[in-house]
Amino acid sequence: MLSVLFWIAPWGWLKWGLVLTLPLFVIAIWDFFQRKHTLRRNYPLVARIRWIMEDLRPFARAYVVEGDLEGRPFNHDERSLVYARAKGQLDSHPFGTELDVYSDEYEWLAHSIVPNEDAPPEWRVDVGSSQCSQPYSASLFNISAMSFGSLSANAIMALNKGAAAGNFYHDTGEGGLSRYHRSHGGDLVWEIGSGYFGCRNEDGTFNPDKFAETATDPQVKMVEIKLSQGAKPGHGGVLPGPKVTKEIAETRGVPIGRDVISPPAHSTFSTPVELLEWAAQLRDLSGGKPVGIKLCVGKPHEVFAICEAMLETGIRLDYIVVDGAEGGTGAAPVEFSNRVGMPLREGLILVRNALVGTGLKDEIKIAAAGKVHSGAGLAMNFGLGADWCNAGRAFMFALGCIQSMNCHTDRCPTGIATQDATRQRGLVVPTKAERVTRFQRHTLHALREMVVAMGLDNPWQIEPCHISERQNSARSDSIDNIYNFLRPGELLESPEGTQYAKAWAAAQFDSFGEATCRQ
């Protein structure tokens, strides 16, 4: 009773003041004498406000400061479109476009006076060259490569369950094929990176027997050799030992608690011919399933070298996934994400021209990946040469990602890019899987509506001449007048007349190096 009176006495507010201020006083004393931070030493306690504001800055910017079209890498309107389609909500926009149609960022698709209402309700693409005995019928919009370890177990399960319900594929990423990828039976594309996770020997080299054991699983529909990725092309990686949990070690086929290295380059090949020979081996070991490569385009002559090697050896890839430098679902060194790699548009056009110019396009399909999130984005990529598209971040938004930019900290607030069990708990797999399915379905519906409006029968009929963009406020032109698109066989018949003359002359089927001269 006396203690109660002590606190409620008229002068008890002094005690409450001490309770509140004494901890702050202790922190201020600590700041004054510590030797690590200059600002805290010179401005005790007050300097800590700076760190608080740094932590709050991404959220304040996204929700208070930025306009609807200003956010990066995805603005508010782009994210809202994905959220609306994932939730099955109204995705229309009132009162006309908010875009500046006279800015040099504006581009548009040409509609027709006679829309084609009889266009098929959906399309699929058959992937597999003449050398593939188990071709795969792929959806036109699929989940791009995202590894277990980068994404949480719940996120992987929700993506795969959504893919199974929507009949589209789920790329495993280079981190191996986990039990979570298998949990709901969705179609899988198994990505094989330079670490050979899930099919490696103890020294990190490729193990064909382990590969065949997994690749022949009926759930695995295609195999994808990762040469590079948009976020950090040409860059390896290290997963520190403390992060190598029992589950991740099991998935990747590595020891628990030891550092795991993904080298920048593959050890199974060093020349274009060796790459193709290895791809042919993977196709045989998988039972004849499609095998392709994924890359962010860097040096054009290397792409031409692969094409020359296909002509020289007769070995065909089944598909090529072009990843744009604007892509990236995890974290990467700033220098790489900002300054290395070719953007999707230029990379897609170059690969399209390489295959068309060498007469290989009829057998080899092209997929486009890099910031695709809408039906318009799909249509644009088809017009530049893609046969289908993949997306990573858009499907993360469908899961509930809020672009908090914490993918690399293990503090993802939505439970998507974290291994923290308490954070993962918030991601309810059945609910999020439905969102994944709805987003994919509504995006493909939007693509069909654009094909109908353009008066076409299918998205592969979209041509560069159907896409226009502004060069400045007073001038615009169609894409085919801005970029050069080669005709079939042109690189073989008259390469010197193309924009790729130097790169073609530098390409060698037996080396990724640049030829100094060519007779």
Side-chain angles (χ1 to χ4, degrees):
M1 185 66 179
L2 289 175
S3 62
V4 174
L5 291 174
F6 177 80
W7 288 105
I8 64 173
W11 38 268
W13 62 271
L14 293 174
K15 302 296 186 293
W16 283 111
L18 286 174
V19 169
L20 296 174
T21 59
L22 188 59
L24 297 178
F25 180 74
V26 172
I27 293 172
I29 294 298
W30 171 260
D31 286 349
F32 184 79
F33 286 104
Q34 59 82 36
R35 295 174 177 270
K36 187 177 181 180
H37 295 286
T38 302
L39 284 177
R40 285 168 53 197
R41 191 173 172 86
N42 289 342
Y43 304 95
L45 189 62
V46 177
R48 290 178 177 268
I49 297 175
R50 175 180 181 271
W51 281 275
I52 295 173
M53 297 306 295
E54 283 283 345
D55 289 340
L56 293 177
R57 185 172 183 270
F59 303 99
R61 186 174 67 243
Y63 296 111
V64 180
V65 179
E66 287 177 351
D68 289 345
L69 305 176
E70 294 175 347
R72 302 285 182 175
F74 287 82
N75 63 44
H76 182 270
D77 276 6
E78 290 168 338
R79 300 197 306 271
S80 293
L81 177 64
V82 177
Y83 296 148
R85 287 179 173 166
K87 295 175 183 177
Q89 296 175 347
L90 186 67
D91 60 0
S92 300
H93 186 279
F95 226 64
T97 182
E98 295 180 54
L99 300 175
D100 181 357
V101 297
Y102 297 101
S103 76
D104 57 8
E105 292 186 356
Y106 187 69
E107 54 192 20
W108 66 93
L109 292 156
H111 66 282
S112 172
I113 292 176
V114 283
N116 180 19
E117 297 181 274
D118 296 326
E122 64 175 334
W123 304 272
R124 296 184 75 85
V125 55
D126 292 329
V127 186
S129 67
S130 58
Q131 298 169 0
C132 173
S133 60
Q134 290 193 57
Y136 174 62
S137 178
S139 171
L140 302 192
F141 192 38
N142 304 279
I143 301 169
S144 193
M146 294 182 285
S147 302
F148 167 61
S150 295
L151 298 192
S152 68
N154 283 11
I156 294 293
M157 288 191 289
L159 289 171
N160 195 256
K161 185 176 177 64
N167 195 22
F168 54 98
Y169 78 66
H170 177 193
D171 193 311
T172 66
E174 67 175 312
L177 201 161
S178 71
R179 60 190 176 94
Y180 302 111
H181 288 100
R182 304 175 189 266
S183 59
H184 292 97
D187 289 354
L188 295 174
V189 171
W190 186 17
E191 183 177 88
I192 310 295
S194 59
Y196 308 119
F197 298 124
C199 56
R200 60 187 264 145
N201 297 308
E202 289 185 8
D203 62 356
T205 55
F206 176 68
N207 185 311
D209 294 330
K210 289 182 179 179
F211 170 82
E213 183 180 349
T214 300
T216 52
D217 187 319
Q219 195 176 344
V220 176
K221 302 301 182 182
M222 301 197 293
V223 176
E224 182 175 292
I225 301 170
K226 178 202 154 187
L227 302 181
S228 58
Q229 65 186 87
K232 47 182 178 180
H235 190 278
V238 177
L239 184 63
K243 293 187 176 181
V244 184
T245 63
K246 181 180 178 180
E247 284 187 319
I248 291 176
E250 176 187 325
T251 299
R252 300 195 176 200
V254 299
I256 300 173
R258 291 190 195 174
D259 291 352
V260 180
I261 298 175
S262 296
H266 281 261
S267 60
T268 53
F269 64 87
S270 59
T271 69
V273 169
E274 290 174 355
L275 166 61
L276 294 179
E277 289 173 345
W278 186 49
Q281 180 190 15
L282 297 184
R283 189 157 48 209
D284 290 341
L285 291 171
S286 68
K289 295 177 181 179
V291 175
I293 60 174
K294 181 183 88 171
L295 80 164
C296 176
V297 178
K299 296 180 177 180
H301 82 272
E302 294 178 344
V303 176
F304 296 139
I306 294 172
C307 292
E308 286 192 3
M310 284 193 278
L311 295 173
E312 181 69 22
T313 63
I315 300 172
R316 299 289 185 263
L317 296 170
D318 295 299
Y319 65 95
I320 298 175
V321 178
V322 183
D323 201 6
E326 63 269 48
T329 55
V334 174
E335 292 84 356
F336 277 79
S337 58
N338 285 349
R339 289 291 181 263
V340 181
M342 193 176 288
L344 177 59
R345 172 165 292 182
E346 284 78 4
L348 180 56
I349 292 172
L350 187 142
V351 171
R352 177 266 178 204
N353 281 344
L355 293 178
V356 170
T358 54
L360 294 168
K361 182 62 184 70
D362 288 342
E363 283 202 89
I364 302 169
K365 298 297 192 295
I366 302 175
K371 212 175 177 181
V372 186
H373 72 283
S374 68
L378 292 171
M380 296 280 186
N381 287 337
F382 276 97
L384 300 177
D387 293 294
W388 81 89
C389 294
N390 297 335
R393 288 171 292 183
F395 280 102
M396 289 174 69
F397 291 138
L399 288 175
C401 170
I402 60 172
Q403 197 170 277
S404 69
M405 311 300 278
N406 276 304
C407 304
H408 60 305
T409 66
D410 207 37
R411 298 196 304 270
C412 171
T414 58
I416 297 171
T418 178
Q419 298 306 305
D420 185 329
T422 59
R423 294 175 185 268
Q424 288 190 50
R425 178 182 174 278
L427 198 161
V428 181
V429 172
T431 302
K432 300 303 183 183
E434 292 176 0
R435 289 174 51 136
V436 167
T437 304
R438 275 195 298 265
F439 165 63
Q440 193 264 1
R441 183 176 68 247
H442 288 312
T443 303
L444 284 182
H445 176 71
L447 169 65
R448 181 186 180 275
E449 289 191 321
M450 303 208 79
V451 171
V452 168
M454 297 175 75
L456 305 175
D457 293 319
N458 61 65
W460 300 285
Q461 291 181 346
I462 302 174
E463 297 287 344
C465 61
H466 297 142
I467 307 171
S468 297
E469 70 174 34
R470 284 209 166 275
Q471 295 174 293
N472 55 54
S473 61
R475 178 176 172 78
S476 64
D477 212 336
S478 60
I479 289 291
D480 61 324
N481 288 327
I482 298 173
Y483 298 93
N484 293 321
F485 291 82
L486 302 188
R487 56 181 173 77
E490 190 170 355
L491 279 175
L492 302 178
E493 298 167 5
S494 55
E496 64 282 347
T498 72
Q499 71 270 35
Y500 305 116
K502 289 183 179 179
W504 179 259
Q508 307 171 85
F509 71 86
D510 57 353
S511 173
F512 282 113
E514 297 182 67
T516 54
C517 61
R518 186 134 169 179
Q519 300 299 325

